[in-house]
């Protein structure tokens, strides 16, 4: 942890976000925190704060992730993707809940002992059981097996479109119409945006919190929870018409100051970040020239000094601006910060 570049995560603010979310959605009995991809890149250390905040179930995307999370908590954990059938016993031994997303998959694992949630495909066409017939057959097989059904769920893929989203709920109701949903402990559908933008359905008792935990939501007063920081390690005074960096990509149109910052594309700051802003002493400065593997250039002014802190990512509003510049989404900006970058945690 000797590098001047690191991500700073505020665990108290994270915990408070979860409290706010859980308090504002008490109609849900199960608040499943989706802590996949090391908590969207912020690090598995966040799991404890998320649980302190009131999440009462966890979800991840692979068995490897589940086993890492299992080391720090006894809270139930669901794997959202079907795992390699070779490892069902390991999952069961570690009290990891699995997803059954097709009849074909079930047929390969029906002789094993484990707990599962059924995944229904209601239009995203990624994973899931797509028809009533398939679900009924799955039910029949599971009834004659040692598999326990603990939950059932589907995933909303465009919550900004309420017509589409309501039709997903309808499809869920249709596909499950022959089974008694009230007999299943956890019926969970909403993801982050759906929690605050849609009324809870009677048959649903769980929701899955993802990016909302990190403060991305317009309806609740939530905190940004992290910044990505670095420092000015050197300053170059350049003359008009001099260039900066590989290929001389940036050319000064007058005498200028360039700050050198030790973060680059190996840290996840891809070259497309050129042209967007960073913050130094709360002022905006532009990244110029080609970003290197380990360093980048910022067009600064006389007020900036060596050792000044550079906020490569300042807060959630900045993340949204960066996402726009990169023509992507805030999720990707979070996950892009590579594992080379140290994660440091403060408890306020
Ligand atoms: C990633 C994921 C979530 C969380 O999504 P957010 O949009 O971050 O809330 C929920 N459910 C499933 C199935 C996911 O894969």
């Amino acid at each position: 942890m000797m590098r001047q570049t690191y991500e700073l995560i505020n665990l108290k603010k994270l915990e408070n976000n979860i409290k706010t979310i859980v308090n504002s959605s008490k109609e849900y009995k199960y608040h499943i925190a989706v802590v996949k991809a090391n908590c969207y890149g912020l690090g598995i250390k966040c799991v404890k704060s998320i649980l302190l905040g009131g999440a009462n179930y966890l979800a991840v995307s692979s068995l490897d992730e589940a086993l890492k999370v299992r080391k720090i908590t006894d809270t139930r954990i669901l794997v959202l993707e079907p795992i390699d059938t070779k490892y069902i016993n390991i999952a069961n031994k570690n009290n990891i809940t699995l997803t059954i997303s097709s009849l074909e998959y079930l047929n390969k694992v029906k002789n094993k002992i484990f707990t599962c949630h059924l995944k229904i495909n209601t239009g995203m066409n990624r994973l899931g059981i797509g028809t009533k017939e398939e679900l009924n057959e799955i039910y029949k097989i599971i009834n004659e097996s040692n598999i326990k059904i603990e939950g059932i769920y589907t995933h909303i893929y465009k919550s900004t479109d309420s017509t589409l989203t309501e039709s997903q709920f309808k499809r869920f109701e249709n596909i499950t119409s022959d089974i008694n949903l009230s007999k299943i402990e956890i019926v969970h559908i909403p993801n982050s945006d759906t929690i605050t933008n849609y009324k809870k359905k009677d048959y649903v008792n769980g929701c899955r919190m993802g990016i909302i935990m990190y403060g991305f939501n317009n309806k609740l007063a939530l905190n940004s929870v992290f910044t990505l920081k670095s420092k000015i390690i050197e300053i170059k005074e350049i003359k008009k018409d001099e260039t900066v960096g590989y290929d001389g990509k940036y050319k000064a149109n007058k005498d200028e100051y360039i700050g050198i910052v030790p973060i680059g594309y190996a840290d996840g700051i891809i070259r497309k970040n050129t042209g967007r802003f960073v913050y130094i002493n709360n002022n905006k400065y532009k990244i110029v020239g080609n970003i290197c593997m380990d360093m980048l250039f910022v067009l600064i002014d006389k007020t900036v000094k060596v050792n000044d802190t550079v906020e490569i990512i300042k807060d959630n509003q900045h993340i949204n601006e960066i996402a726009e510049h990169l023509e992507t989404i805030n999720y990707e900006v979070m996950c892009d910060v590579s594992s080379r970058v140290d994660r440091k945690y403060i408890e306020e």
Side-chain angles (χ1 to χ4, degrees):
M1 295 253 188
M2 292 182 287
R3 211 173 157 213
Q4 321 216 51
T5 297
Y6 58 92
E7 199 166 52
L8 186 65
I9 297 125
N10 188 316
L11 294 174
K12 201 73 200 165
K13 285 186 175 169
L14 175 60
E15 180 185 333
N16 286 336
N17 280 356
I18 314 304
K19 281 186 178 149
T20 305
I21 301 159
V22 170
N23 270 324
S24 72
S25 58
K26 282 208 178 100
E27 63 276 24
Y28 293 101
K29 181 173 174 195
Y30 297 98
H31 288 88
I32 303 172
V34 182
V35 296
K36 63 192 180 191
N38 284 327
C39 297
Y40 291 26
L42 299 187
I44 202 164
K45 208 170 177 220
C46 294
V47 169
K48 275 215 165 121
S49 310
I50 288 168
L51 291 170
L52 281 172
N56 54 9
Y57 207 117
L58 298 166
V60 294
S61 64
S62 69
L63 182 56
D64 297 80
E65 287 183 352
L67 293 174
K68 268 200 228 165
V69 175
R70 176 54 75 230
K71 287 209 174 99
I72 54 179
T73 175
D74 292 329
T75 304
R76 288 188 277 181
I77 304 168
L78 169 68
V79 181
L80 296 163
E81 296 171 19
I83 67 163
D84 190 327
T85 57
K86 284 203 284 281
Y87 303 121
I88 301 275
N89 292 342
I90 293 181
N92 188 50
K93 221 175 76 194
N94 288 280
N95 192 23
I96 308 294
T97 308
L98 301 177
T99 288
I100 295 287
S101 55
S102 73
L103 179 57
E104 191 186 347
Y105 184 81
L106 175 62
N107 276 325
K108 289 190 231 157
V109 300
K110 63 187 172 194
N111 296 321
K112 309 261 183 199
I113 304 172
F114 61 94
T115 300
C116 77
H117 289 202
L118 304 176
K119 174 83 184 275
I120 308 298
N121 173 23
T122 53
M124 182 166 184
N125 293 322
R126 187 172 62 175
L127 295 174
I129 302 151
T131 64
K132 198 201 285 211
E133 292 69 32
E134 187 181 1
L135 179 62
N136 291 349
E137 180 67 17
I138 284 173
Y139 236 71
K140 215 178 88 202
I141 294 171
I142 292 185
N143 266 330
E144 295 158 1
S145 77
N146 291 314
I147 302 167
K148 180 184 164 205
I149 300 175
E150 179 196 74
I152 187 164
Y153 68 109
T154 190
H155 194 39
I156 302 299
Y157 65 93
K158 193 180 180 189
S159 67
T160 48
D161 184 334
S162 60
T163 311
L164 197 66
T165 299
E166 290 302 339
S167 83
Q168 281 196 268
F169 281 108
K170 276 275 163 307
R171 256 169 103 167
F172 184 85
E173 290 159 26
N174 243 308
I175 293 171
T176 59
S177 57
D178 287 344
I179 64 174
N180 188 350
L181 284 178
S182 67
K183 286 254 159 68
I184 299 182
E185 184 189 346
I186 313 173
V187 181
H188 51 110
I189 297 183
N191 68 324
S192 291
D193 281 349
T194 319
I195 297 170
T196 49
N197 291 321
Y198 293 82
K199 224 177 138 263
K200 188 185 89 65
K201 305 285 179 200
D202 291 339
Y203 54 87
V204 175
N205 64 359
C207 59
R208 296 188 304 279
M209 308 178 290
I211 200 154
I212 191 172
M213 298 191 289
Y214 311 108
F216 290 97
N217 185 270
N218 310 326
K219 297 223 163 133
L220 303 175
L222 301 173
N223 309 305
S224 299
V225 302
F226 77 96
T227 55
L228 175 58
K229 294 188 185 227
S230 191
K231 280 204 161 158
I232 301 284
I233 52 168
E234 209 162 297
I235 291 174
K236 288 279 166 290
E237 266 188 80
I238 56 168
K239 298 282 171 226
K240 181 176 186 297
D241 291 335
E242 275 196 88
T243 67
V244 164
Y246 286 119
D247 293 332
K249 172 91 172 173
Y250 176 75
K251 189 169 177 185
N253 45 36
K254 55 181 189 317
D255 293 359
E256 286 173 338
Y257 295 93
I258 299 290
I260 314 300
V261 186
I263 185 169
Y265 58 79
D267 301 298
I269 305 303
I270 60 169
R271 282 168 50 134
K272 209 174 169 186
N273 280 280
T274 294
R276 63 101 158 160
F277 293 95
V278 299
Y279 287 84
I280 305 169
N281 305 321
N282 275 322
N283 297 318
K284 282 175 151 188
Y285 296 96
K286 202 187 245 178
I287 300 174
V288 296
N290 278 327
I291 293 174
C292 312
M293 191 183 292
D294 314 301
M295 282 177 267
L296 55 76
F297 306 95
V298 179
L299 180 60
I300 53 174
D301 54 37
K302 262 183 143 151
T303 67
V304 176
K305 305 289 179 226
V306 167
N307 247 351
D308 280 359
T309 296
V310 181
E311 290 175 304
I312 305 293
I313 299 177
K314 181 179 164 62
D315 54 20
N316 285 359
Q317 191 192 319
H318 194 205
I319 290 175
N320 288 336
E321 288 165 10
I322 296 165
E324 197 166 309
H325 177 90
L326 297 176
E327 298 174 285
T328 182
I329 51 176
N330 43 17
Y331 297 73
E332 200 178 37
V333 174
M334 286 186 72
C335 292
D336 269 352
V337 180
S338 80
S339 58
R340 185 170 82 171
V341 176
D342 286 329
R343 270 66 175 171
K344 293 189 186 177
Y345 300 90
I346 44 171
E347 323 245 352
E348 216 165 45

